[in-house]
Coordinates of all heavy atoms in Angstrom, one line a residue:
Chain C
F9 N 15.2 139.1 -20.5 CA 15.2 137.7 -20.8 C 14.1 137.0 -19.8 O 13.5 136.0 -20.1 CB 16.6 137.0 -20.6 CG 17.5 137.4 -21.8 CD1 18.6 138.1 -21.6 CD2 17.1 137.0 -23.1 CE1 19.4 138.4 -22.7 CE2 17.9 137.3 -24.1 CZ 19.0 138.0 -24.0
V11 N 11.4 138.3 -18.8 CA 10.1 138.5 -19.4 C 9.9 137.7 -20.7 O 8.8 137.2 -20.9 CB 9.9 140.1 -19.7 CG1 8.7 140.3 -20.6 CG2 9.6 140.8 -18.4
A16 N 7.1 133.1 -23.1 CA 7.1 131.8 -23.6 C 6.4 130.8 -22.8 O 5.6 129.9 -23.2 CB 8.6 131.3 -23.8
V18 N 3.8 131.5 -20.9 CA 2.4 131.7 -21.0 C 1.8 130.7 -22.0 O 0.8 130.0 -21.8 CB 2.0 133.2 -21.4 CG1 0.5 133.3 -21.8 CG2 2.3 134.1 -20.3
I19 N 2.6 130.5 -23.1 CA 2.2 129.5 -24.2 C 2.4 128.1 -23.7 O 1.6 127.2 -23.7 CB 2.8 129.8 -25.4 CG1 2.4 131.2 -26.0 CG2 2.5 128.8 -26.5 CD1 3.3 131.8 -27.0
W49 N -0.7 106.1 -17.8 CA 0.5 105.6 -18.6 C 0.2 105.7 -20.2 O 1.0 106.1 -20.9 CB 0.9 104.2 -18.2 CG 2.1 103.8 -18.9 CD1 2.2 102.8 -19.9 CD2 3.5 104.2 -18.7 NE1 3.5 102.7 -20.3 CE2 4.3 103.5 -19.6 CE3 4.1 105.2 -17.8 CZ2 5.7 103.7 -19.7 CZ3 5.4 105.3 -17.9 CH2 6.2 104.6 -18.8
N51 N -2.0 107.6 -21.8 CA -1.9 109.0 -22.3 C -0.5 109.5 -22.4 O -0.1 110.3 -23.3 CB -2.8 109.8 -21.5 CG -4.3 109.7 -21.9 OD1 -4.5 109.5 -23.1 ND2 -5.2 110.0 -21.0
T53 N 2.4 108.0 -22.6 CA 3.2 107.4 -23.7 C 2.8 107.9 -25.1 O 3.6 108.2 -25.9 CB 3.3 105.9 -23.6 OG1 1.9 105.4 -23.5 CG2 4.1 105.4 -22.5
G76 N 11.9 130.9 -13.4 CA 11.7 130.6 -12.0 C 12.9 130.9 -11.1 O 12.8 131.5 -10.1
E86 N 16.8 140.8 -2.9 CA 16.2 142.0 -2.3 C 16.0 141.9 -0.8 O 15.2 142.7 -0.2 CB 14.9 142.3 -3.1 CG 15.2 142.9 -4.4 CD 13.9 143.0 -5.3 OE1 12.8 142.9 -4.7 OE2 14.0 143.2 -6.5
T87 N 16.6 140.8 -0.2 CA 16.5 140.7 1.2 C 18.0 140.9 1.8 O 18.9 140.8 1.0 CB 16.0 139.3 1.7 OG1 16.9 138.3 1.2 CG2 14.7 139.0 1.0
F89 N 19.5 138.8 3.6 CA 20.2 137.5 3.5 C 20.8 137.4 2.1 O 22.0 137.0 1.9 CB 19.2 136.3 3.6 CG 19.7 135.0 3.2 CD1 20.6 134.3 4.1 CD2 19.4 134.5 2.0 CE1 21.1 133.1 3.6 CE2 19.9 133.2 1.6 CZ 20.8 132.5 2.4
R92 N 23.8 139.7 1.6 CA 25.1 139.2 2.2 C 25.7 138.1 1.5 O 26.9 137.8 1.6 CB 24.7 138.8 3.6 CG 24.6 139.9 4.7 CD 24.7 139.3 6.1 NE 23.7 138.3 6.3 CZ 22.5 138.5 6.7 NH1 22.1 139.7 7.0 NH2 21.6 137.5 6.9
R94 N 25.4 137.3 -2.0 CA 25.1 137.5 -3.4 C 25.7 136.4 -4.3 O 25.1 135.8 -5.1 CB 25.4 138.9 -3.8 CG 25.3 139.3 -5.2 CD 25.6 140.7 -5.5 NE 24.6 141.6 -4.8 CZ 23.5 141.9 -5.4 NH1 23.2 141.5 -6.7 NH2 22.6 142.7 -4.8
L97 N 24.7 132.8 -3.6 CA 23.3 132.5 -4.1 C 23.3 132.3 -5.6 O 22.6 131.4 -6.1 CB 22.5 133.7 -3.6 CG 21.0 133.6 -3.6 CD1 20.5 132.6 -2.6 CD2 20.4 134.9 -3.5
T98 N 24.0 133.3 -6.3 CA 24.0 133.2 -7.8 C 24.6 131.9 -8.2 O 24.1 131.2 -9.1 CB 24.7 134.4 -8.3 OG1 24.2 135.6 -7.8 CG2 24.6 134.4 -9.8
I110 N 20.0 119.7 -17.6 CA 20.6 118.5 -18.2 C 19.9 117.3 -17.8 O 19.5 116.4 -18.7 CB 22.1 118.5 -17.8 CG1 22.9 119.6 -18.4 CG2 22.7 117.1 -18.2 CD1 24.2 119.8 -17.9
V120 N 10.9 109.9 -24.9 CA 10.4 109.8 -26.3 C 10.9 108.5 -26.9 O 10.1 107.8 -27.6 CB 10.9 111.1 -27.1 CG1 10.6 110.9 -28.6 CG2 10.2 112.3 -26.6
Q121 N 12.1 108.2 -26.7 CA 12.7 106.9 -27.3 C 11.9 105.7 -26.7 O 11.4 104.8 -27.5 CB 14.1 106.8 -27.0 CG 15.0 107.8 -27.8 CD 16.4 107.9 -27.3 OE1 16.7 107.5 -26.2 NE2 17.3 108.5 -28.1

Side-chain angles (χ1 to χ4, degrees):
Chain C
F9 287 118
V11 163
V18 169
I19 296 164
W49 184 255
N51 275 334
T53 46
E86 288 172 11
T87 64
F89 168 80
R92 278 197 305 271
R94 178 175 290 275
L97 194 71
T98 303
I110 290 165
V120 167
Q121 289 166 343

